[in-house]
Amino acid sequence: MSHAAALLDWLACAYGGREQRAARAARAAGDGLLETVAWLGTAGHVLDFDDTYLPGIAHLSAPTAPAAIAVAADLDLTVGAVLDAHAAGFEAMGALSRAHPLYEGGWHPTAVCGAAGAARAAAVVLGLDEERAGAAERLALLQAGGLRAAFGSDGKSLQVGMAAAAGVHAARIAAGGVSITADVVGAPDGFAAAFGAPRALSGSGNHLAVEENWVKPWPCCLMSHSAIEAATRADLSGSGPIAVTVHPVARRAAAYDEVADGLQAKFSIPYLVAYVALRGEPEPSSFDGVEADVQELALRRVTLMTDDTLGESEAVLSLAGEEVARVEASRGSPQRPMSPEELAAKCHLLAGDRLDGLLDNRDAPAQTLLDALA
C-alpha cells in the first residue's frame, strides 16, 4: 500500500471517532496547536480501526498524521507538505517500533514510539535540517511512555494523542536551536536500557514499513482479526463448543474473556467470535455497548487456547474437536491487502463522501484536511 492510502484510512478513522468520549474529552482541553494534535491523535485511534504495522505492533499513522496535518495547517502549507511529513514520520516510527521488544515489556508501542514519529513528521513540516530533526526525535524520546494496561479503556487512545502532542512540542523546541546530542537510545541509561535492547531484525529491516502495513476491516484489536475471519467461514449455528487457538502474542493483546463495556469487547476474542455467530461481522456501532446474549454465548461456548507454533496473526477454529477454519493472515494484511474499492467502502462507512479526492491535489491547503474532520 502507499503512505497516501494509509493517511486516507486514518482520516476516515478520525472522522468516525471524533465524537467518541475520549475524543470529546481531548478536544475540550483547548484549541491551541498542541491540544488540536492531541484531539486528532485520540480521534484517529479511539475506534481501533486505524492502520497497523505488525512488525512493531504499532499504529504508525495514529500519531504522525495528526502532527503533519495540524502543523501544516497552522503554517498555511499544503496537502503535499502533509503527505511528505506523514510518510517521513511513519517510516521513522516504524523503524523504532520494530527495533525494540516493547510489547513484551507491557508497553504500548504506538504511544512509546509515537512521540518520536510525530516529532519527525512535525520537523519535516517545519523544514528542519537533519541535525535539528534528529534533536526533535531525541527530545521526544525523553518523554516516551504508554502502557498496554490502558487497552480496553479511554486511556489507550488518549495516550496516543498525548504522544503526538509531545512530539510536536519537541519539534517546535528543536526548531529554536536546542542541542540534544546525547545517545538517547543507546546510552547505558537510555531508551534501549529502559524499554528493551534492540532485537535482531529479519525481513522487515530491509523494507519500508508501509509495505508491511495492515488496513483493518474491523474496528477492534488486530490480533483478533484472524479469529473473526475464521468465525465467518464456519457454521456456528449449533450448540456445541467452539475452540479458538491463537499465538500467545494474540492472547496477550486481546486479553479479555468477560467484558464490561464496548472498549473491552474490542479486545476479547471470545466475545468477537460470539458476535460473529449471532450478528455477523462487527462494525463501529457494534461496540456501543456489551450485548448480553453475545456475552452469554462467549462464556458458554467459546474456549480460547494458545499455540506458539502458530504465526502471530494466525487463528484456528475448531468445532467438536475438528478444525473447520484456519486463517494465517486476515483480510487487510500485506498478504491480502484491501483493494482501492474496499478502502473506499471503509472510508464511506466512516465519513460518507467527504474525503473523496481530498488527497489528490498536493497544492490544496492543508487546512482542507483539518476542516474535513470538523
Side-chain angles (χ1 to χ4, degrees):
M1 71 179 304
S2 67
H3 292 105
L7 181 58
L8 178 63
D9 180 74
W10 178 87
L11 285 164
C13 293
Y15 184 80
R18 74 198 189 287
E19 294 298 336
Q20 294 290 311
R21 180 177 58 211
R24 293 198 311 270
R27 192 169 196 176
D31 58 3
L33 176 60
L34 297 183
E35 291 85 357
T36 297
V37 173
W39 162 58
L40 291 173
T42 303
H45 188 54
V46 69
L47 294 179
D48 231 296
F49 213 175
D50 45 321
D51 61 312
T52 310
Y53 175 60
L54 193 56
I57 319 183
H59 302 260
L60 302 185
S61 291
T64 58
I69 291 171
V71 177
D74 187 61
L75 296 176
D76 295 323
L77 298 179
T78 65
V79 168
V82 172
L83 288 164
D84 293 344
H86 167 255
F90 189 103
E91 293 300 327
M93 183 177 167
L96 181 65
S97 67
R98 72 177 173 241
H100 297 273
L102 299 167
Y103 211 81
E104 296 88 331
W107 301 107
H108 182 195
T110 306
V112 171
C113 302
R120 172 60 66 166
V124 170
V125 176
L126 292 168
L128 304 190
D129 60 25
E130 184 56 36
E131 180 179 355
R132 290 193 180 183
E137 287 191 53
R138 290 189 289 275
L139 183 58
L141 286 176
L142 297 180
Q143 307 170 79
L147 299 172
R148 276 177 36 217
F151 286 18
S153 76
D154 290 333
K156 183 175 190 285
S157 57
L158 284 164
Q159 66 185 354
V160 172
M162 291 188 290
V168 171
H169 196 193
R172 295 175 83 191
I173 292 173
V178 67
S179 176
I180 306 290
T181 58
D183 182 7
V184 171
V185 174
D189 48 3
F191 182 91
F195 291 99
R199 54 191 170 195
L201 296 177
S202 61
S204 60
N206 302 317
H207 301 286
L208 290 173
V210 76
E211 295 173 354
E212 299 179 80
N213 202 38
W214 297 54
V215 173
K216 289 185 172 185
W218 303 294
C220 49
C221 176
L222 181 70
M223 305 310 288
S224 71
H225 281 208
S226 288
I228 291 173
E229 186 168 344
T232 68
R233 297 181 184 180
D235 179 2
L236 303 180
S237 60
S239 59
I242 303 167
V244 181
T245 306
V246 298
H247 190 277
V249 167
R251 179 60 168 128
R252 285 199 297 271
Y256 290 95
D257 293 325
E258 188 169 359
V259 300
D261 56 31
L263 288 174
Q264 291 183 6
K266 291 172 178 280
F267 293 87
S268 172
I269 291 173
Y271 184 90
L272 291 163
V273 168
Y275 189 93
V276 172
L278 293 178
R279 304 283 191 272
E281 297 181 26
E283 296 183 349
S285 61
S286 304
F287 302 99
D288 290 344
V290 174
E291 301 188 31
D293 57 341
V294 176
Q295 175 93 295
E296 189 277 332
L297 189 150
L299 295 174
R300 176 169 52 86
R301 293 185 58 195
V302 183
T303 300
L304 184 59
M305 301 178 291
T306 61
D307 180 350
D308 62 9
T309 67
L310 296 179
E312 288 188 0
S313 62
E314 188 173 2
V316 178
L317 190 147
S318 301
L319 297 174
E322 180 180 351
E323 179 182 321
V324 296
R326 179 184 293 261
V327 177
E328 295 182 1
S330 66
R331 284 165 35 203
S333 65
Q335 299 92 324
R336 300 170 58 207
M338 276 192 184
S339 67
E341 293 76 20
E342 289 171 324
L343 177 57
K346 177 181 175 180
C347 291
H348 287 169
L349 171 69
L350 292 167
D353 62 2
R354 66 190 301 110
L355 303 180
D356 290 357
L358 202 61
L359 300 179
D360 293 348
N361 181 4
R362 288 180 58 90
D363 294 326
Q367 184 66 39
T368 60
L369 304 183
L370 203 53
D371 291 343
L373 302 177

